Amino acid sequence: MLAEQTAAAMYSRDAALKLIGIRLMAVRPGYARLSMVVRPDMVNAHHICHGGFLFTLADSAFAYACNSYNRNTVASACHIDFLSPAREGEELEAECEERSLAGRTGVYDTTIRDRKGQVLALFRGKSYRIAGEVITGLEAEDSRHRSAPSSRIEGNPQ
């Protein structure tokens, strides 16, 4: 329930996702699935979906997965491999799963697929927990994901 509340709060403030038309399909602790339809204004000169939109879809799934514990979390690094093009009119899904979470850092893998299940891109994101909560005052989920009290650390990547 906390993951869903956190996602709803994030989505309510996420103008970029609304502009692009990215929809939140599912969220639970350490997991998120988002979808997007490739519109005509998202294709490049090769008549395929611009890689920046694919990156945004994958990065957004990563953001919702790593913030699902109601702890403000940002990307410290990420990488994407484009494997196959997406075309205008296709509906895409990005599924992100937590691979590791220890202290303030985590590793998350996102896979973008088309409706046929073909893998179009693989994205790996590394997360860093910063000060604060997505929804102030709500208890963060599961005490094992806590470390010392939140405070900005010198050299924070964000």
Side-chain angles (χ1 to χ4, degrees), residues 76-142:
S76 64
C78 51
H79 175 85
I80 192 165
D81 290 302
F82 300 108
L83 306 176
S84 188
R87 307 212 181 272
E88 182 181 329
E90 287 185 316
E91 185 170 358
L92 310 178
E93 281 195 359
E95 183 175 41
C96 183
E97 297 179 278
E98 182 178 279
R99 299 296 182 210
S100 172
L101 183 61
R104 292 184 178 270
T105 63
V107 177
Y108 294 78
D109 287 332
T110 303
T111 303
I112 298 178
R113 293 181 179 87
D114 63 17
R115 278 292 176 200
K116 298 174 191 167
Q118 180 180 3
V119 176
L120 306 179
L122 298 171
F123 172 104
R124 172 159 277 190
K126 296 177 182 176
S127 68
Y128 184 82
R129 187 169 47 86
I130 59 173
E133 300 165 320
V134 177
I135 305 171
T136 304
L138 280 185
E139 192 64 29
E141 187 164 300
D142 196 342

Short mmCIF file of all heavy atoms in Angstrom, two decimals, residues 76-142:
data_model
loop_
_atom_site.label_atom_id
_atom_site.label_comp_id
_atom_site.label_asym_id
_atom_site.label_seq_id
_atom_site.Cartn_x
_atom_site.Cartn_y
_atom_site.Cartn_z
N SER A 76 22.09 7.76 -9.56
CA SER A 76 23.50 8.17 -9.50
C SER A 76 24.21 7.79 -10.80
O SER A 76 25.23 8.37 -11.14
CB SER A 76 24.20 7.54 -8.30
OG SER A 76 24.24 6.15 -8.41
N ALA A 77 23.66 6.81 -11.52
CA ALA A 77 24.21 6.40 -12.81
C ALA A 77 23.19 5.52 -13.51
O ALA A 77 22.35 4.90 -12.86
CB ALA A 77 25.51 5.63 -12.63
N CYS A 78 23.26 5.49 -14.82
CA CYS A 78 22.40 4.58 -15.57
C CYS A 78 22.98 4.36 -16.96
O CYS A 78 23.81 5.12 -17.44
CB CYS A 78 20.97 5.08 -15.65
SG CYS A 78 20.81 6.76 -16.21
N HIS A 79 22.51 3.28 -17.57
CA HIS A 79 22.99 2.88 -18.89
C HIS A 79 21.83 2.21 -19.61
O HIS A 79 21.04 1.49 -19.01
CB HIS A 79 24.15 1.88 -18.74
CG HIS A 79 24.62 1.33 -20.03
ND1 HIS A 79 25.53 1.97 -20.82
CD2 HIS A 79 24.28 0.19 -20.68
CE1 HIS A 79 25.75 1.24 -21.90
NE2 HIS A 79 25.00 0.16 -21.84
N ILE A 80 21.74 2.44 -20.92
CA ILE A 80 20.69 1.78 -21.71
C ILE A 80 21.31 1.16 -22.96
O ILE A 80 22.23 1.73 -23.56
CB ILE A 80 19.55 2.76 -22.08
CG1 ILE A 80 18.34 2.01 -22.63
CG2 ILE A 80 20.04 3.85 -23.02
CD1 ILE A 80 17.06 2.84 -22.69
N ASP A 81 20.81 -0.01 -23.30
CA ASP A 81 21.17 -0.67 -24.56
C ASP A 81 19.90 -0.74 -25.40
O ASP A 81 18.89 -1.32 -24.97
CB ASP A 81 21.69 -2.09 -24.30
CG ASP A 81 23.05 -2.09 -23.63
OD1 ASP A 81 24.00 -1.51 -24.21
OD2 ASP A 81 23.16 -2.66 -22.53
N PHE A 82 19.95 -0.16 -26.60
CA PHE A 82 18.83 -0.22 -27.53
C PHE A 82 19.02 -1.46 -28.38
O PHE A 82 20.03 -1.59 -29.08
CB PHE A 82 18.79 1.04 -28.40
CG PHE A 82 18.64 2.31 -27.61
CD1 PHE A 82 19.69 3.20 -27.48
CD2 PHE A 82 17.43 2.63 -27.00
CE1 PHE A 82 19.55 4.38 -26.76
CE2 PHE A 82 17.28 3.80 -26.26
CZ PHE A 82 18.34 4.67 -26.15
N LEU A 83 18.06 -2.37 -28.34
CA LEU A 83 18.20 -3.66 -29.01
C LEU A 83 17.39 -3.76 -30.29
O LEU A 83 17.79 -4.45 -31.24
CB LEU A 83 17.80 -4.79 -28.06
CG LEU A 83 18.53 -4.80 -26.72
CD1 LEU A 83 17.99 -5.90 -25.84
CD2 LEU A 83 20.04 -4.94 -26.92
N SER A 84 16.24 -3.11 -30.32
CA SER A 84 15.34 -3.20 -31.47
C SER A 84 14.51 -1.92 -31.50
O SER A 84 14.16 -1.40 -30.43
CB SER A 84 14.46 -4.44 -31.32
OG SER A 84 13.71 -4.65 -32.48
N PRO A 85 14.16 -1.43 -32.68
CA PRO A 85 13.41 -0.16 -32.73
C PRO A 85 11.94 -0.32 -32.36
O PRO A 85 11.34 -1.39 -32.52
CB PRO A 85 13.54 0.25 -34.20
CG PRO A 85 13.73 -1.03 -34.94
CD PRO A 85 14.50 -1.92 -34.01
N ALA A 86 11.39 0.76 -31.85
CA ALA A 86 9.95 0.86 -31.60
C ALA A 86 9.39 1.77 -32.68
O ALA A 86 10.03 2.73 -33.09
CB ALA A 86 9.69 1.44 -30.22
N ARG A 87 8.18 1.47 -33.12
CA ARG A 87 7.58 2.22 -34.22
C ARG A 87 6.33 2.97 -33.77
O ARG A 87 5.72 2.64 -32.76
CB ARG A 87 7.24 1.27 -35.35
CG ARG A 87 8.45 0.45 -35.77
CD ARG A 87 8.47 0.09 -37.21
NE ARG A 87 9.65 -0.72 -37.52
CZ ARG A 87 10.82 -0.23 -37.86
NH1 ARG A 87 11.01 1.05 -37.95
NH2 ARG A 87 11.84 -1.04 -38.13
N GLU A 88 5.99 3.96 -34.55
CA GLU A 88 4.81 4.75 -34.28
C GLU A 88 3.57 3.86 -34.09
O GLU A 88 3.37 2.91 -34.84
CB GLU A 88 4.57 5.72 -35.45
CG GLU A 88 3.41 6.64 -35.27
CD GLU A 88 3.20 7.56 -36.46
OE1 GLU A 88 4.19 7.93 -37.13
OE2 GLU A 88 2.04 7.92 -36.69
N GLY A 89 2.80 4.17 -33.06
CA GLY A 89 1.57 3.43 -32.79
C GLY A 89 1.76 2.25 -31.84
O GLY A 89 0.78 1.73 -31.31
N GLU A 90 2.99 1.83 -31.62
CA GLU A 90 3.22 0.69 -30.74
C GLU A 90 3.06 1.09 -29.28
O GLU A 90 3.46 2.18 -28.88
CB GLU A 90 4.63 0.11 -30.93
CG GLU A 90 4.80 -0.64 -32.22
CD GLU A 90 6.17 -1.30 -32.32
OE1 GLU A 90 7.18 -0.65 -31.98
OE2 GLU A 90 6.21 -2.46 -32.76
N GLU A 91 2.47 0.19 -28.50
CA GLU A 91 2.41 0.38 -27.06
C GLU A 91 3.58 -0.36 -26.44
O GLU A 91 3.79 -1.54 -26.71
CB GLU A 91 1.10 -0.11 -26.46
CG GLU A 91 1.01 0.22 -24.98
CD GLU A 91 -0.35 -0.02 -24.38
OE1 GLU A 91 -1.28 -0.42 -25.10
OE2 GLU A 91 -0.47 0.21 -23.16
N LEU A 92 4.32 0.34 -25.60
CA LEU A 92 5.51 -0.22 -24.96
C LEU A 92 5.29 -0.33 -23.47
O LEU A 92 4.56 0.47 -22.88
CB LEU A 92 6.72 0.68 -25.23
CG LEU A 92 6.95 1.10 -26.67
CD1 LEU A 92 8.15 2.03 -26.76
CD2 LEU A 92 7.14 -0.11 -27.57
N GLU A 93 5.93 -1.31 -22.86
CA GLU A 93 5.91 -1.44 -21.41
C GLU A 93 7.34 -1.50 -20.89
O GLU A 93 8.19 -2.17 -21.48
CB GLU A 93 5.17 -2.70 -20.97
CG GLU A 93 3.69 -2.56 -21.02
CD GLU A 93 2.97 -3.66 -20.26
OE1 GLU A 93 3.62 -4.57 -19.71
OE2 GLU A 93 1.74 -3.60 -20.25
N ALA A 94 7.57 -0.77 -19.82
CA ALA A 94 8.86 -0.81 -19.13
C ALA A 94 8.62 -1.43 -17.77
O ALA A 94 7.80 -0.95 -16.99
CB ALA A 94 9.44 0.59 -18.98
N GLU A 95 9.34 -2.51 -17.50
CA GLU A 95 9.22 -3.21 -16.23
C GLU A 95 10.55 -3.12 -15.50
O GLU A 95 11.58 -3.52 -16.04
CB GLU A 95 8.84 -4.67 -16.48
CG GLU A 95 8.62 -5.47 -15.22
CD GLU A 95 8.14 -6.87 -15.53
OE1 GLU A 95 8.65 -7.49 -16.48
OE2 GLU A 95 7.26 -7.34 -14.79
N CYS A 96 10.51 -2.58 -14.29
CA CYS A 96 11.73 -2.38 -13.51
C CYS A 96 11.69 -3.23 -12.25
O CYS A 96 10.67 -3.25 -11.55
CB CYS A 96 11.88 -0.91 -13.14
SG CYS A 96 13.43 -0.58 -12.25
N GLU A 97 12.81 -3.89 -11.98
CA GLU A 97 12.93 -4.73 -10.80
C GLU A 97 14.21 -4.42 -10.04
O GLU A 97 15.27 -4.25 -10.64
CB GLU A 97 12.93 -6.20 -11.21
CG GLU A 97 11.64 -6.62 -11.89
CD GLU A 97 11.67 -8.07 -12.31
OE1 GLU A 97 12.23 -8.36 -13.38
OE2 GLU A 97 11.14 -8.90 -11.54
N GLU A 98 14.06 -4.35 -8.74
CA GLU A 98 15.21 -4.13 -7.86
C GLU A 98 16.09 -5.37 -7.86
O GLU A 98 15.61 -6.49 -7.72
CB GLU A 98 14.65 -3.88 -6.46
CG GLU A 98 15.67 -3.58 -5.40
CD GLU A 98 14.94 -3.32 -4.09
OE1 GLU A 98 14.45 -2.18 -3.91
OE2 GLU A 98 14.84 -4.26 -3.29
N ARG A 99 17.39 -5.16 -8.00
CA ARG A 99 18.35 -6.26 -7.94
C ARG A 99 19.14 -6.26 -6.65
O ARG A 99 19.55 -7.30 -6.16
CB ARG A 99 19.32 -6.19 -9.13
CG ARG A 99 18.67 -6.29 -10.47
CD ARG A 99 18.02 -7.63 -10.65
NE ARG A 99 17.44 -7.71 -11.99
CZ ARG A 99 16.39 -8.42 -12.28
NH1 ARG A 99 15.77 -9.11 -11.35
NH2 ARG A 99 15.91 -8.42 -13.50
N SER A 100 19.37 -5.06 -6.11
CA SER A 100 20.15 -4.93 -4.88
C SER A 100 19.74 -3.65 -4.19
O SER A 100 19.51 -2.63 -4.85
CB SER A 100 21.64 -4.90 -5.22
OG SER A 100 22.41 -4.60 -4.07
N LEU A 101 19.66 -3.69 -2.86
CA LEU A 101 19.40 -2.50 -2.06
C LEU A 101 20.15 -2.65 -0.76
O LEU A 101 19.89 -3.59 0.00
CB LEU A 101 17.91 -2.32 -1.80
CG LEU A 101 17.51 -1.06 -1.04
CD1 LEU A 101 17.92 0.20 -1.80
CD2 LEU A 101 16.00 -1.05 -0.81
N ALA A 102 21.13 -1.78 -0.54
CA ALA A 102 21.94 -1.84 0.68
C ALA A 102 22.30 -0.42 1.09
O ALA A 102 22.88 0.33 0.30
CB ALA A 102 23.20 -2.66 0.43
N GLY A 103 21.92 -0.07 2.30
CA GLY A 103 22.21 1.29 2.77
C GLY A 103 21.51 2.31 1.90
O GLY A 103 20.31 2.24 1.70
N ARG A 104 22.25 3.25 1.37
CA ARG A 104 21.68 4.31 0.54
C ARG A 104 21.68 3.99 -0.95
O ARG A 104 21.20 4.79 -1.75
CB ARG A 104 22.46 5.60 0.75
CG ARG A 104 22.28 6.19 2.14
CD ARG A 104 23.02 7.52 2.23
NE ARG A 104 22.84 8.13 3.52
CZ ARG A 104 21.85 8.96 3.81
NH1 ARG A 104 20.97 9.27 2.91
NH2 ARG A 104 21.76 9.46 5.02
N THR A 105 22.23 2.85 -1.37
CA THR A 105 22.38 2.58 -2.79
C THR A 105 21.60 1.34 -3.22
O THR A 105 21.37 0.42 -2.45
CB THR A 105 23.86 2.40 -3.18
OG1 THR A 105 24.38 1.26 -2.48
CG2 THR A 105 24.67 3.63 -2.85
N GLY A 106 21.21 1.34 -4.49
CA GLY A 106 20.50 0.21 -5.07
C GLY A 106 20.83 0.05 -6.53
O GLY A 106 21.38 0.96 -7.16
N VAL A 107 20.52 -1.11 -7.06
CA VAL A 107 20.70 -1.42 -8.48
C VAL A 107 19.36 -1.95 -8.99
O VAL A 107 18.75 -2.83 -8.37
CB VAL A 107 21.81 -2.45 -8.71
CG1 VAL A 107 21.93 -2.80 -10.19
CG2 VAL A 107 23.15 -1.94 -8.16
N TYR A 108 18.92 -1.40 -10.13
CA TYR A 108 17.63 -1.74 -10.71
C TYR A 108 17.78 -2.01 -12.20
O TYR A 108 18.50 -1.29 -12.89
CB TYR A 108 16.65 -0.57 -10.51
CG TYR A 108 16.32 -0.33 -9.06
CD1 TYR A 108 17.21 0.32 -8.20
CD2 TYR A 108 15.12 -0.78 -8.53
CE1 TYR A 108 16.90 0.52 -6.87
CE2 TYR A 108 14.81 -0.58 -7.19
CZ TYR A 108 15.70 0.07 -6.37
OH TYR A 108 15.40 0.27 -5.04
N ASP A 109 17.08 -3.03 -12.68
CA ASP A 109 17.07 -3.37 -14.10
C ASP A 109 15.68 -3.12 -14.68
O ASP A 109 14.68 -3.56 -14.11
CB ASP A 109 17.45 -4.83 -14.33
CG ASP A 109 18.94 -5.08 -14.10
OD1 ASP A 109 19.73 -4.14 -14.29
OD2 ASP A 109 19.29 -6.22 -13.75
N THR A 110 15.65 -2.43 -15.81
CA THR A 110 14.40 -2.15 -16.52
C THR A 110 14.47 -2.76 -17.91
O THR A 110 15.47 -2.60 -18.61
CB THR A 110 14.16 -0.63 -16.64
OG1 THR A 110 14.16 -0.06 -15.34
CG2 THR A 110 12.84 -0.33 -17.33
N THR A 111 13.41 -3.44 -18.29
CA THR A 111 13.29 -4.02 -19.63
C THR A 111 12.11 -3.35 -20.32
O THR A 111 11.02 -3.29 -19.75
CB THR A 111 13.06 -5.53 -19.55
OG1 THR A 111 14.13 -6.13 -18.82
CG2 THR A 111 12.99 -6.15 -20.94
N ILE A 112 12.34 -2.86 -21.53
CA ILE A 112 11.26 -2.30 -22.34
C ILE A 112 10.89 -3.35 -23.39
O ILE A 112 11.76 -3.85 -24.12
CB ILE A 112 11.66 -0.99 -23.05
CG1 ILE A 112 12.00 0.09 -22.03
CG2 ILE A 112 10.53 -0.52 -23.98
CD1 ILE A 112 12.46 1.40 -22.64
N ARG A 113 9.58 -3.66 -23.45
CA ARG A 113 9.06 -4.64 -24.41
C ARG A 113 7.91 -4.03 -25.20
O ARG A 113 7.20 -3.15 -24.71
CB ARG A 113 8.53 -5.87 -23.68
CG ARG A 113 9.57 -6.69 -22.98
CD ARG A 113 8.93 -7.91 -22.30
NE ARG A 113 9.91 -8.74 -21.63
CZ ARG A 113 10.34 -8.57 -20.39
NH1 ARG A 113 9.85 -7.58 -19.66
NH2 ARG A 113 11.23 -9.37 -19.87
N ASP A 114 7.70 -4.57 -26.41
CA ASP A 114 6.49 -4.21 -27.15
C ASP A 114 5.38 -5.18 -26.74
O ASP A 114 5.60 -6.07 -25.91
CB ASP A 114 6.74 -4.20 -28.66
CG ASP A 114 7.13 -5.56 -29.23
OD1 ASP A 114 6.92 -6.61 -28.57
OD2 ASP A 114 7.64 -5.58 -30.36
N ARG A 115 4.20 -5.03 -27.31
CA ARG A 115 3.05 -5.86 -26.94
C ARG A 115 3.25 -7.34 -27.28
O ARG A 115 2.62 -8.21 -26.70
CB ARG A 115 1.78 -5.35 -27.61
CG ARG A 115 1.16 -4.21 -26.87
CD ARG A 115 0.63 -4.70 -25.56
NE ARG A 115 0.10 -3.62 -24.77
CZ ARG A 115 -0.07 -3.68 -23.48
NH1 ARG A 115 0.25 -4.75 -22.82
NH2 ARG A 115 -0.56 -2.67 -22.82
N LYS A 116 4.14 -7.63 -28.22
CA LYS A 116 4.42 -9.02 -28.58
C LYS A 116 5.42 -9.66 -27.62
O LYS A 116 5.71 -10.83 -27.74
CB LYS A 116 4.96 -9.09 -30.01
CG LYS A 116 3.99 -8.60 -31.06
CD LYS A 116 4.66 -8.55 -32.41
CE LYS A 116 3.78 -7.82 -33.40
NZ LYS A 116 4.49 -7.49 -34.63
N GLY A 117 5.96 -8.85 -26.71
CA GLY A 117 6.93 -9.35 -25.75
C GLY A 117 8.37 -9.23 -26.21
O GLY A 117 9.29 -9.64 -25.50
N GLN A 118 8.60 -8.66 -27.39
CA GLN A 118 9.96 -8.49 -27.89
C GLN A 118 10.68 -7.44 -27.05
O GLN A 118 10.15 -6.35 -26.79
CB GLN A 118 9.96 -8.04 -29.35
CG GLN A 118 11.35 -7.85 -29.92
CD GLN A 118 11.35 -7.41 -31.37
OE1 GLN A 118 10.31 -7.19 -31.97
NE2 GLN A 118 12.53 -7.29 -31.94
N VAL A 119 11.89 -7.75 -26.63
CA VAL A 119 12.69 -6.82 -25.84
C VAL A 119 13.29 -5.77 -26.77
O VAL A 119 13.99 -6.09 -27.73
CB VAL A 119 13.80 -7.57 -25.06
CG1 VAL A 119 14.69 -6.57 -24.32
CG2 VAL A 119 13.18 -8.56 -24.08
N LEU A 120 13.00 -4.50 -26.46
CA LEU A 120 13.49 -3.40 -27.27
C LEU A 120 14.69 -2.70 -26.66
O LEU A 120 15.53 -2.16 -27.37
CB LEU A 120 12.37 -2.37 -27.50
CG LEU A 120 11.07 -2.91 -28.09
CD1 LEU A 120 10.07 -1.77 -28.23
CD2 LEU A 120 11.31 -3.60 -29.41
N ALA A 121 14.75 -2.68 -25.32
CA ALA A 121 15.85 -1.99 -24.65
C ALA A 121 16.03 -2.56 -23.25
O ALA A 121 15.08 -3.03 -22.62
CB ALA A 121 15.57 -0.49 -24.56
N LEU A 122 17.28 -2.52 -22.80
CA LEU A 122 17.65 -2.93 -21.44
C LEU A 122 18.33 -1.74 -20.77
O LEU A 122 19.23 -1.13 -21.36
CB LEU A 122 18.61 -4.12 -21.47
CG LEU A 122 18.06 -5.40 -22.09
CD1 LEU A 122 19.17 -6.44 -22.24
CD2 LEU A 122 16.93 -5.96 -21.25
N PHE A 123 17.91 -1.44 -19.58
CA PHE A 123 18.37 -0.27 -18.84
C PHE A 123 18.78 -0.73 -17.45
O PHE A 123 18.07 -1.50 -16.81
CB PHE A 123 17.20 0.72 -18.76
CG PHE A 123 17.39 1.93 -17.89
CD1 PHE A 123 17.66 3.17 -18.44
CD2 PHE A 123 17.24 1.85 -16.50
CE1 PHE A 123 17.78 4.30 -17.65
CE2 PHE A 123 17.36 2.98 -15.70
CZ PHE A 123 17.64 4.21 -16.28
N ARG A 124 19.93 -0.27 -16.99
CA ARG A 124 20.33 -0.52 -15.60
C ARG A 124 20.55 0.82 -14.93
O ARG A 124 21.27 1.67 -15.44
CB ARG A 124 21.61 -1.35 -15.53
CG ARG A 124 22.13 -1.45 -14.08
CD ARG A 124 23.04 -2.59 -13.84
NE ARG A 124 22.23 -3.78 -13.60
CZ ARG A 124 22.72 -4.92 -13.17
NH1 ARG A 124 24.00 -5.05 -12.93
NH2 ARG A 124 21.93 -5.96 -12.96
N GLY A 125 19.91 0.99 -13.78
CA GLY A 125 20.05 2.23 -13.02
C GLY A 125 20.60 1.95 -11.64
O GLY A 125 20.28 0.94 -11.02
N LYS A 126 21.44 2.85 -11.20
CA LYS A 126 21.97 2.80 -9.84
C LYS A 126 21.35 3.95 -9.07
O LYS A 126 21.36 5.09 -9.54
CB LYS A 126 23.49 2.88 -9.85
CG LYS A 126 24.11 1.68 -10.56
CD LYS A 126 25.60 1.79 -10.65
CE LYS A 126 26.14 0.58 -11.40
NZ LYS A 126 27.58 0.68 -11.60
N SER A 127 20.81 3.63 -7.91
CA SER A 127 20.09 4.64 -7.14
C SER A 127 20.89 5.09 -5.92
O SER A 127 21.77 4.37 -5.43
CB SER A 127 18.74 4.09 -6.67
OG SER A 127 18.92 3.06 -5.71
N TYR A 128 20.54 6.28 -5.45
CA TYR A 128 21.15 6.84 -4.25
C TYR A 128 20.05 7.51 -3.44
O TYR A 128 19.34 8.39 -3.94
CB TYR A 128 22.23 7.86 -4.62
CG TYR A 128 22.96 8.39 -3.43
CD1 TYR A 128 24.00 7.67 -2.86
CD2 TYR A 128 22.61 9.61 -2.85
CE1 TYR A 128 24.67 8.14 -1.73
CE2 TYR A 128 23.27 10.09 -1.74
CZ TYR A 128 24.31 9.34 -1.19
OH TYR A 128 24.95 9.81 -0.07
N ARG A 129 19.89 7.11 -2.20
CA ARG A 129 18.86 7.69 -1.33
C ARG A 129 19.37 8.99 -0.74
O ARG A 129 20.45 9.04 -0.17
CB ARG A 129 18.47 6.72 -0.22
CG ARG A 129 17.28 7.22 0.58
CD ARG A 129 16.69 6.18 1.50
NE ARG A 129 17.67 5.46 2.29
CZ ARG A 129 18.15 5.86 3.45
NH1 ARG A 129 17.79 7.02 3.96
NH2 ARG A 129 19.01 5.12 4.11
N ILE A 130 18.56 10.02 -0.88
CA ILE A 130 18.89 11.34 -0.35
C ILE A 130 17.97 11.63 0.84
O ILE A 130 17.15 10.79 1.22
CB ILE A 130 18.76 12.44 -1.42
CG1 ILE A 130 17.34 12.50 -2.00
CG2 ILE A 130 19.80 12.20 -2.53
CD1 ILE A 130 17.10 13.66 -2.95
N ALA A 131 18.07 12.80 1.38
CA ALA A 131 17.26 13.18 2.55
C ALA A 131 15.78 13.27 2.19
O ALA A 131 15.42 13.66 1.08
CB ALA A 131 17.74 14.53 3.08
N GLY A 132 14.96 12.89 3.13
CA GLY A 132 13.53 13.13 3.01
C GLY A 132 12.72 11.95 2.51
O GLY A 132 13.24 10.89 2.20
N GLU A 133 11.41 12.20 2.46
CA GLU A 133 10.45 11.21 2.04
C GLU A 133 9.63 11.77 0.88
O GLU A 133 9.46 12.98 0.77
CB GLU A 133 9.50 10.87 3.18
CG GLU A 133 10.19 10.32 4.41
CD GLU A 133 9.29 10.34 5.64
OE1 GLU A 133 8.54 11.32 5.83
OE2 GLU A 133 9.36 9.37 6.39
N VAL A 134 9.13 10.90 0.04
CA VAL A 134 8.25 11.33 -1.05
C VAL A 134 6.99 11.93 -0.46
O VAL A 134 6.54 13.00 -0.85
CB VAL A 134 7.92 10.16 -2.00
CG1 VAL A 134 6.94 10.59 -3.08
CG2 VAL A 134 9.19 9.59 -2.63
N ILE A 135 6.39 11.23 0.50
CA ILE A 135 5.22 11.73 1.22
C ILE A 135 5.66 11.95 2.66
O ILE A 135 5.81 11.00 3.43
CB ILE A 135 4.06 10.73 1.17
CG1 ILE A 135 3.70 10.37 -0.27
CG2 ILE A 135 2.84 11.31 1.90
CD1 ILE A 135 2.70 9.24 -0.38
N THR A 136 5.88 13.18 3.02
CA THR A 136 6.36 13.52 4.36
C THR A 136 5.40 13.02 5.42
O THR A 136 4.20 13.19 5.31
CB THR A 136 6.55 15.04 4.48
OG1 THR A 136 7.44 15.46 3.45
CG2 THR A 136 7.13 15.41 5.82
N GLY A 137 5.97 12.36 6.43
CA GLY A 137 5.19 11.91 7.56
C GLY A 137 4.72 10.48 7.49
O GLY A 137 4.36 9.91 8.50
N LEU A 138 4.73 9.86 6.31
CA LEU A 138 4.37 8.45 6.22
C LEU A 138 5.58 7.62 6.60
O LEU A 138 6.71 7.93 6.22
CB LEU A 138 3.94 8.07 4.80
CG LEU A 138 2.53 8.40 4.39
CD1 LEU A 138 2.25 7.84 2.99
CD2 LEU A 138 1.50 7.86 5.35
N GLU A 139 5.35 6.56 7.31
CA GLU A 139 6.45 5.67 7.71
C GLU A 139 7.01 4.97 6.48
O GLU A 139 6.26 4.49 5.64
CB GLU A 139 5.93 4.65 8.72
CG GLU A 139 7.02 3.88 9.40
CD GLU A 139 7.92 4.75 10.27
OE1 GLU A 139 7.46 5.78 10.78
OE2 GLU A 139 9.09 4.39 10.42
N ALA A 140 8.31 4.91 6.37
CA ALA A 140 8.94 4.18 5.27
C ALA A 140 8.74 2.69 5.50
O ALA A 140 8.64 2.23 6.63
CB ALA A 140 10.43 4.50 5.20
N GLU A 141 8.67 1.95 4.42
CA GLU A 141 8.41 0.52 4.50
C GLU A 141 9.64 -0.25 4.91
O GLU A 141 10.73 0.01 4.42
CB GLU A 141 7.92 0.03 3.14
CG GLU A 141 7.48 -1.41 3.17
CD GLU A 141 6.67 -1.75 1.95
OE1 GLU A 141 5.63 -1.12 1.73
OE2 GLU A 141 7.11 -2.65 1.22
N ASP A 142 9.47 -1.18 5.80
CA ASP A 142 10.46 -2.19 6.15
C ASP A 142 11.74 -1.58 6.71
O ASP A 142 12.54 -1.01 5.99
CB ASP A 142 10.77 -3.04 4.92
CG ASP A 142 11.48 -4.32 5.31
OD1 ASP A 142 12.03 -4.42 6.41
OD2 ASP A 142 11.48 -5.23 4.49
#
